[in-house]
Amino acid sequence: MTRHLLKLVWNRKRTNALIILEIFFSFLVVFVVGTLGLWLLDNYRRPLGFSYDNVWNVAIDMRQTGDDTFTADQVATFKRILDEVQTLAPVEAAAGSMALPYSLASYNSSRDFDGRQIGYQVSEVTRDLDKVLRLDVSAGRWFEEADEALAWQPVVINARLAREVFGDEDPVGKTFIDDLRVVGVVSEFRRNGELAPPGNFLFHLKRVGHPEHRPAPNLLVRVQPGTSAAFEEVLVKRLQGVARGWSFEIKPLMEMRRTSFRTFLTPLAAAGIVSLFLLLMVGLGLIGVLWQNLLQRTREIGLRRATGASRRSVHSQVITEQLILTTLGVLAGALLVAQIPVLDLIGFINDRIFIGGLVFAMASIYLLSLLCALYPSALAARVQPAEALRYE
Amino acid sequence: MIRNYLKVALKVLARRKFFTFISLFGICVTLVVLMVATAMLDHLVSPHPPEVRGDRTLGIYLMAMTGERSTVSAFAGYKFLDTYIRPMAELPFVESVAVLSLPDTVVSFVDGRRLELDLKRTDGEFWRVLRFDFLEGGPFTAEDDKNARFVAVINESTRRRYFGGGPAVGKTIEADGQRFKVVGVVKDVPALRLVPYADIWVPFGTMAASTTMMGGELAFKGELVGNNFGLIVARSRADFPQIKAEVAMRFKEAEKDIPDPEQFNQLRGGAETQFEALSRLLLSQRVEESRPNRLLAVLLALAVTFMLLPTVNLVNLNLSRILDRASEIGVRKAFGASSWTLVGQFIVENVVLTLVGAAAGLIVAIATLSAINASGIIPYAQLGLNLRVFLSALGFALFFGLLSGVYPAWRMSRLHPAKALRGRSV
C-alpha cells in the first residue's frame, strides 16, 4: 500500500516537490521560533541565585566625565553615603556594587587555567551584598569585616565557575589566579536575570574607604517590605545632602527586571506573531493546492470508488499521501538543522533544547499538514463514482 | 494589449474567490511584515520633521580615540566640535553648524512623584537647524547659551506630567538639581530620533554649575571624545564630498590636542549620514569605514530570505490556478500566441494580483504601525508610512510579483496545445 502511494507521489513529482519545499521552509521557521522560545523557558526555570523584591538600586553619578581617575575625596564621600544610608529606618541593608542585576552592561574577564580559557563576569562589591541580595552561600563563607585587612584578595565565585576551574575538588581556600583566593562559593548568581543563559561569576571585595578602590557606581539597598515610593525622594535628598553635587537615580530592581523581560521577550513575540501569520498563510495555501489537485484527480478517485473502494479508504489515501509529503519536507528540514549540533554552530543550544525544538517543529508541521488535508480529503471522499467518471 | 490582460486578470480573480482570497492573504501578510520593518528602519535612519534639513545634513556621530593598545569609542567631544567643527560655518558651502548632546536621563520630583526626564543640552543654532513645532513660547538663543541662562524648552508630555497640562512658559522646572525657566513648549519627538529627541532641552552653558571643575576648566569643555553630536548643514547634497574631506582634515588637525599622546595617537570618525553611521556601527570594526552599500545589501538579502516561504506558497497556488485555465491557454496557443506572449500575460496578471494584495497590506500596515505607536513599546514613536516607505513597499510588491510569477508562467507557456485543449493536467 505505502509503496503504491509512494509511486503515486512520485508520478506527480513536480507539483509535490513544491509542496515539500513549502513544508521544508515552514519547518525551519517553526524550528527557529520554537527553539528560541524553549531556550528562554529553559533559562527561566533555572534558579536565579538572588532575590530582587524590595531591593532598590541607587545609581551614583559622581559628575566626572571620561577617564578612570577618582579622588580621595570621592572615596571618602562614598563611605559617608554608605554609612548614611544604613542609618535610615526603612533600610535593612545596603551595599555598593560595580555590576548591576538585570542591566545590559557587563564586566567580563577571561583567564587561562592550565590551557583552558575560562570566561566569567566580575563585580566588585562591598561587604553586605549577601544580605541585600540574599545570596545563597553553599560552601565556605561570604566576605567579612576582617577580609578588608588581608594582604591577598578574597573572592567568592559561583558554583558553576568553581566546577569549571576546580572540578570536583573543594574550591574553598584555593588560589584562583594571582593573589586571588576563594573564600566561598554561592550556589548561583545570574546577574543578567532569569531569561539570560546562566554563566560564571566572580565577586571581588571592594574595600570601602580604601584609596585604591574606586567608589562603586551603584548602591543596592534592601528596604523593608511595603516601603513606599515617597521614601525614594527622602533617600535622594539625604544622599544629596551628604554628597554635594553628585546625582542619584533610584530604580527598584523589580522595574529593571520588567525592562529586562521586555528586552528578551519582544523579539520572541514579534517573531512568534509573524510566524503564526506565515503558518496561517501556508495552511490556507495548502488547502487550496490540495483541493485543486484532488479536483484534477476526480476521475482517478471516481474509478477507485466505482471499483469498490470505500469513502474511508479514499480519505485515508489522501491523508497518507499528504503525510508522506510532510515527512519528506520535515526530513529535509531536520537534516539541515541537525548540522547545528553536528558542527557545533550555535554554542548555547544544548541537546535538550535542540531536541525539544525539533519535536515542537515536527509536531506543529504534522498537525498543520493534517488539518489542511482534512477538508479537501473529505470533499474527495464525497465524490460519486458515476459523476466522477463523467468528469472532464 | 495590457488593458486586455488587466481585464482578463480581474475576471480570473473574481472567478475563483477562495483562491483569490488565500493568494491575497499571503501577499498581504508578506508585504505587511516588510512594510512595518521598512517603516521602522526609516524611522531610525531617515530625517523626519523637525529635521527639516535632514537630507542636506551630515553629522559627526561616532568617534574614537585610539592608540597602540587602547581605544576609547564614544561620540564627539565638546572641545572637538567647538574648536574644529563649529568654525566650518564660515565656509561657503556650509549653511550652518549645530552642536548638541545625547539625551541624558535626569530625575526630578513633583509633589512627591518621581519624574524621569531625558535632558539634552544644545547650542542656539540647534533651533535653527531643526524646525520644531512650538505649542507655546519659542526656542532659546545663542545668547542664552553664551551667558549660561537657565532657560529650557520642554515637550508636550513633560508639560502635562509636570504642570498638569496648563500653559508652562514663564514657570520654573527643576531637573537634576538645577532650576530652569521654561521659554517654550514643543510637540513630542520620537525617542529613537537621537538628534532632536529629549523631554527637556537646555543651553550647553548651564552645564557649568553642575559639573566638577578640573583644574579650573569645565571637564566637558576639554573633551575630544564625549557625549555629543555635531550637525553640518550643507548648501546642497553636492557639497557632501567636500564637507567630508574638510572634516577628515580637521580630525587629523585635532590629533595634536590629544591629552596623553603616549597612550593615544589617533582620532577617528568623520562626517556622515545617519544610514552611514548605522552601517558603521553594525558592520565595521574600524571607526573610519562606513559601508552603507553593504548594509543595504544585507537588508535586501534578509528581505528576500523572508520572502522565500511566501513565494513558494504563491507559486504553488498559481500553478494550481493555471490548470483551471488549461483550455483558455490551449485556444490561445492553437491560434498562434507565442510562449513569450503567454509568459508576459501571466506575469502581468500576477503583478496585478500582488498589487491588489499590497494595497490591502498598506491598510493593515498603517493599522499595525499605529498600534505599535499606541502600545508605547517605543516611547513617543510616530511610525507611519511616508513616500520613502511607500515606494520601497511598491518595489517589494513588484519584486514579489515577478518572483512568484516567473516559474508558473514558464510552466504555463510550455503547455502542449492539444493536451491543453483536452483539459489535461499540466
Side-chain angles (χ1 to χ4, degrees):
Chain A
M1 179 69 181
T2 315
R3 251 183 82 188
H4 178 64
L5 287 179
L6 280 174
K7 202 170 186 178
L8 283 178
V9 167
W10 179 250
N11 284 342
R12 305 169 46 79
K13 51 187 170 300
R14 279 219 260 187
T15 317
N16 288 338
L18 276 168
I19 296 180
I20 292 173
L21 193 63
E22 190 165 350
I23 287 170
F24 167 74
F25 281 132
S26 314
F27 176 83
L28 293 186
V29 170
V30 181
F31 175 77
V32 169
V33 177
T35 309
L36 183 62
L38 283 174
W39 179 66
L40 290 177
L41 185 69
D42 184 61
N43 289 341
Y44 180 73
R45 281 197 181 146
R46 293 161 186 262
L48 184 62
F50 65 90
S51 137
Y52 49 82
D53 38 49
N54 299 313
V55 178
W56 295 358
N57 177 56
V58 185
I60 303 171
D61 184 355
M62 299 193 300
R63 296 299 193 159
Q64 79 172 25
T65 46
D67 55 32
D68 223 23
T69 55
F70 55 93
T71 60
D73 190 34
Q74 286 168 334
V75 171
T77 309
F78 179 75
K79 186 171 178 0
R80 281 208 305 279
I81 290 177
L82 195 56
D83 293 342
E84 177 76 13
V85 168
Q86 278 158 332
T87 62
L88 298 174
V91 173
E92 289 184 354
S97 171
M98 185 170 74
L100 197 56
Y102 297 113
S103 97
L104 289 176
S106 66
Y107 302 86
N108 298 294
S109 194
S110 175
R111 289 299 283 256
D112 193 294
F113 292 90
D114 308 325
R116 290 171 307 143
Q117 199 69 24
I118 296 178
Y120 48 91
Q121 289 193 28
V122 294
S123 181
E124 286 173 16
V125 301
T126 66
R127 223 173 46 226
D128 287 337
L129 191 82
D130 63 327
K131 296 191 195 74
V132 178
L133 291 179
R134 306 219 161 122
L135 300 174
D136 168 40
V137 179
S138 57
R141 58 173 177 80
W142 182 254
F143 300 124
E144 55 192 31
E145 196 166 358
D147 288 344
E148 305 212 344
L150 291 173
W152 42 273
Q153 300 279 331
V155 296
V156 171
I157 58 182
N158 70 348
R160 185 182 312 276
L161 181 57
R163 207 162 41 242
E164 250 183 70
V165 175
F166 302 105
D168 292 333
E169 296 168 47
D170 181 13
V172 176
K174 288 221 166 62
T175 299
F176 188 71
I177 39 166
D178 306 335
D179 67 338
L180 305 188
R181 216 177 292 168
V182 178
V183 296
V185 177
V186 288
S187 64
E188 183 57 290
F189 184 70
R190 291 170 60 198
R191 191 196 61 83
N192 303 47
E194 288 91 333
L195 294 181
N200 298 333
F201 208 93
L202 178 141
F203 294 99
H204 281 280
L205 176 63
K206 190 183 273 297
R207 299 173 193 196
V208 181
H210 192 285
E212 279 166 29
H213 284 219
R214 165 186 266 286
N218 298 296
L219 188 64
L220 288 163
V221 178
R222 172 168 290 279
V223 293
Q224 275 164 1
T227 306
S228 74
F231 179 63
E232 286 183 33
E233 189 176 358
V234 175
L235 188 55
V236 168
K237 290 269 152 74
R238 284 292 274 274
L239 292 176
Q240 274 170 342
V242 177
R244 294 251 160 243
W246 289 18
S247 105
F248 303 92
E249 196 193 329
I250 299 186
K251 208 167 243 175
L253 281 194
M254 201 64 157
E255 220 170 276
M256 301 186 61
R257 178 173 184 263
R258 248 197 310 272
T259 313
S260 148
F261 268 60
R262 203 180 305 148
T263 313
F264 277 98
L265 292 180
T266 309
L268 180 70
I273 291 170
V274 169
S275 26
L276 268 185
F277 273 103
L278 283 181
L279 287 187
L280 190 58
M281 173 188 87
V282 169
L284 285 173
L286 280 181
I287 292 177
V289 172
L290 286 179
W291 186 6
Q292 186 68 47
N293 287 351
L294 287 170
L295 211 60
Q296 214 190 324
R297 292 167 67 186
T298 307
R299 272 148 69 109
E300 174 195 333
I301 294 163
L303 202 60
R304 279 204 66 200
R305 295 275 281 131
T307 53
S310 68
R311 277 192 180 188
R312 184 184 244 173
S313 87
V314 171
H315 214 47
S316 70
Q317 178 195 348
V318 173
I319 287 178
T320 318
E321 274 186 39
Q322 176 66 7
L323 289 183
I324 289 173
L325 295 184
T326 312
T327 308
L328 291 175
V330 165
L331 265 185
L335 276 180
L336 183 72
V337 297
Q339 306 310 309
I340 296 173
V342 169
L343 303 177
D344 201 14
L345 291 179
I346 306 174
F348 66 76
I349 293 186
N350 64 32
D351 290 351
R352 227 156 38 91
I353 297 173
F354 176 78
I355 290 170
L358 211 59
V359 170
F360 175 74
M362 280 185 179
S364 326
I365 296 296
Y366 272 111
L367 186 69
L368 177 78
S369 182
L370 197 64
L371 284 176
C372 293
L374 281 181
Y375 179 63
S377 90
L379 280 184
R382 223 181 284 157
V383 167
Q384 295 296 325
E387 191 189 322
L389 291 172
R390 269 195 294 130
Y391 183 81
E392 189 60 34
Chain B
M1 196 61 182
I2 292 276
R3 242 182 84 193
N4 241 342
Y5 285 176
L6 289 180
K7 240 187 212 165
V8 174
L10 291 175
K11 278 270 182 294
V12 171
L13 291 187
R15 201 171 62 195
R16 300 288 311 265
K17 294 211 174 55
F18 178 65
F19 267 76
T20 309
F21 168 72
I22 52 186
S23 303
L24 284 179
F25 179 79
I27 296 166
C28 186
V29 165
T30 314
L31 292 175
V32 165
V33 172
L34 290 172
M35 279 184 229
V36 169
T38 317
M40 285 186 167
L41 182 71
D42 182 75
H43 184 75
L44 196 66
V45 297
S46 310
H48 292 257
E51 296 153 273
V52 283
R53 299 176 202 176
D55 51 346
R56 283 192 284 130
T57 303
L58 287 176
I60 318 270
Y61 302 112
L62 305 162
M63 207 166 139
M65 191 155 65
T66 62
E68 297 283 298
R69 301 190 51 199
S70 37
T71 303
V72 179
S73 304
F75 305 94
Y78 188 82
K79 177 179 182 183
F80 174 73
L81 293 174
D82 191 45
T83 324
Y84 294 95
I85 302 302
R86 210 174 245 157
M88 282 180 71
E90 323 260 296
L91 296 172
F93 46 86
V94 175
E95 194 175 283
S96 48
V97 175
V99 175
L100 54 134
S101 78
L102 275 140
D104 184 21
T105 305
V106 298
V107 177
S108 59
F109 290 95
V110 194
D111 310 328
R113 278 181 307 125
R114 197 182 90 216
L115 271 190
E116 273 177 30
L117 298 175
D118 286 335
L119 178 137
K120 181 190 282 292
R121 296 179 198 268
T122 79
D123 59 3
E125 197 60 25
F126 174 82
W127 299 99
R128 295 167 23 129
V129 171
L130 283 82
R131 188 78 36 85
F132 282 84
D133 273 338
F134 276 89
L135 298 173
E136 54 173 313
F140 51 81
T141 60
E143 186 85 338
D144 291 328
D145 181 25
K146 213 174 94 199
N147 298 332
R149 292 198 188 115
F150 284 82
V151 287
V153 173
I154 59 175
N155 68 358
E156 207 181 343
S157 296
T158 307
R159 178 174 72 177
R160 198 186 53 245
R161 291 195 294 170
Y162 206 98
F163 300 109
V169 169
K171 292 190 179 159
T172 306
I173 185 166
E174 195 190 309
D176 212 17
Q178 292 183 319
R179 296 169 70 79
F180 298 92
K181 202 179 98 192
V182 177
V183 292
V185 180
V186 295
K187 279 199 177 151
D188 290 344
V189 191
L192 285 179
R193 309 294 314 153
L194 280 182
V195 169
Y197 169 71
D199 291 310
I200 169 167
W201 295 259
V202 303
F204 259 114
T206 58
M207 193 124 139
S210 68
T211 315
T212 37
M213 303 281 191
M214 266 174 125
E217 177 93 26
L218 290 174
F220 86 97
K221 287 210 163 161
E223 286 175 344
L224 289 175
V225 176
N227 207 23
N228 305 302
F229 287 162
L231 299 179
I232 304 170
V233 184
R235 296 243 177 247
S236 87
R237 285 182 73 91
D239 295 325
F240 275 9
Q242 222 172 334
I243 292 180
K244 287 186 180 187
E246 179 69 32
V247 168
M249 229 172 65
R250 287 172 189 238
F251 265 87
K252 272 270 154 277
E253 208 183 313
E255 283 173 1
K256 69 174 180 341
D257 287 350
I258 292 177
D260 41 354
E262 300 274 292
Q263 203 182 354
F264 300 105
N265 51 26
Q266 272 191 312
L267 273 184
R268 295 186 164 166
E272 56 195 356
T273 62
Q274 293 185 14
F275 190 71
E276 283 169 341
L278 183 70
S279 76
R280 200 167 66 167
L281 198 63
L282 295 179
L283 296 178
S284 169
Q285 301 297 320
R286 294 152 53 116
V287 173
E288 64 269 31
E289 272 179 329
S290 68
R291 294 171 161 162
N293 294 333
R294 180 183 287 202
L295 179 60
L296 203 61
V298 168
L299 291 172
L300 286 178
L302 279 179
V304 172
T305 314
F306 170 74
M307 273 194 229
L308 276 178
L309 177 57
T311 303
V312 175
N313 186 52
L314 196 57
V315 165
N316 248 330
L317 285 167
N318 281 339
L319 273 179
S320 312
R321 214 173 225 210
I322 295 176
L323 297 171
D324 235 21
R325 305 171 57 185
S327 41
E328 175 202 333
I329 295 161
V331 170
R332 291 208 54 203
K333 279 208 131 177
F335 279 90
S338 75
S339 291
W340 284 112
T341 322
L342 288 171
V343 166
Q345 176 184 350
F346 192 82
I347 289 181
V348 169
E349 274 180 28
N350 197 51
V351 167
V352 169
L353 181 71
T354 324
L355 289 180
V356 174
L362 208 60
I363 297 167
V364 180
I366 291 172
T368 312
L369 289 174
S370 57
I372 294 177
N373 289 346
S375 73
I377 297 174
I378 310 166
Y380 309 135
Q382 290 160 13
L383 294 170
L385 296 178
N386 53 29
L387 192 65
R388 280 186 302 269
V389 180
F390 179 76
L391 286 181
S392 43
L394 193 68
F396 281 132
L398 288 176
F399 179 72
F400 185 49
L402 285 177
L403 198 68
S404 57
V406 169
Y407 178 68
W410 177 75
R411 284 280 297 276
M412 175 170 95
S413 70
R414 300 234 320 180
L415 221 54
H416 196 278
K419 262 190 183 173
L421 277 174
R422 272 195 293 140
R424 292 299 302 266
S425 66
V426 183

